[in-house]
Amino acid sequence: MLYSTTIQGEGEIVTDRVESIETIQREMTAFARRARATAARMHPELSLVSFTLLAHLEFQGGCRATDLAAHYTLDKSTISRQVGALERAGLVERRLDPADHRVHVLHLTERGIEVLAQVGDARRVAFQERLAEWSGPDLERFAEYLLRYNAAASGADAGVE
């Protein structure tokens, strides 16, 4: 269903819903491109995907590669390549699962913890700089909108976001 542009009140234009969604899609794509480029500048060994996987491993206290694949709806071979690169970089190690010795659990190494902390600190500084001029209420609304969007997107098909 298409929504048309309407005029309300004293000439205030309410933006067309379709146009707004197109703008959101375009700006989120630009955001993702910028995030990938920023990740590469912050640490040459750590792509945005690598950072995301390390952060997940830290948050979970370790997990299996199949758990990562399921969580991010990625093919096991994709996760295997990413994990292999993280292992070669000395950021991740495999340990036998004490409950099931047939299974390996991925954990951050000491170096992985240090690199993740450095990149996380740099990302926080970058966000603080970008948002320095935003008011408290604007930041709260932005945070609420992101939470709302991500909650709605969590049930969407992986390729559609």
Side-chain angles (χ1 to χ4, degrees):
M1 176 177 196
L2 294 177
Y3 296 84
S4 61
T5 302
T6 59
I7 298 176
Q8 289 183 335
E10 298 177 21
E12 177 187 352
I13 297 176
V14 176
T15 307
D16 171 4
R17 182 176 177 84
V18 172
E19 183 180 321
S20 294
I21 290 172
E22 286 295 318
T23 299
I24 291 167
Q25 184 273 327
R26 186 176 56 249
E27 293 302 315
M28 289 184 80
T29 299
F31 175 85
R33 259 190 309 237
R34 198 170 32 260
R36 282 190 295 274
T38 301
R41 283 193 309 274
M42 287 186 184
H43 199 282
E45 292 178 82
L46 215 51
S47 70
L48 182 60
V49 172
S50 296
F51 175 81
T52 302
L53 296 179
L54 289 177
H56 186 83
L57 289 174
E58 179 185 51
F59 180 75
Q60 294 295 323
C63 70
R64 300 174 303 160
T66 54
D67 297 331
L68 286 173
H71 181 78
Y72 291 106
T73 59
L74 293 171
D75 188 77
K76 290 178 187 177
S77 65
T78 301
I79 290 294
S80 180
R81 282 191 302 276
Q82 292 290 331
V83 168
L86 292 171
E87 285 180 304
R88 286 188 297 281
L91 304 174
V92 169
E93 64 185 2
R94 294 176 192 263
R95 298 182 199 154
L96 284 176
D97 185 341
D100 184 350
H101 290 291
R102 298 169 296 165
V103 176
H104 284 95
V105 177
L106 301 168
H107 291 276
L108 297 180
T109 62
E110 286 300 318
R111 184 166 184 273
I113 293 167
E114 290 169 12
V115 167
L116 184 62
Q118 290 169 356
V119 173
D121 290 345
R123 287 170 52 102
R124 276 186 287 288
V125 167
F127 272 103
Q128 288 171 353
E129 288 172 358
R130 286 184 203 128
L131 300 170
E133 301 299 318
W134 289 43
S135 70
D138 282 348
L139 288 172
E140 288 174 24
R141 275 192 299 279
F142 188 48
E144 287 172 19
Y145 291 150
L146 287 172
L147 287 167
R148 185 173 161 192
Y149 175 81
N150 284 329
S154 68
D157 291 336
V160 177
E161 295 178 35

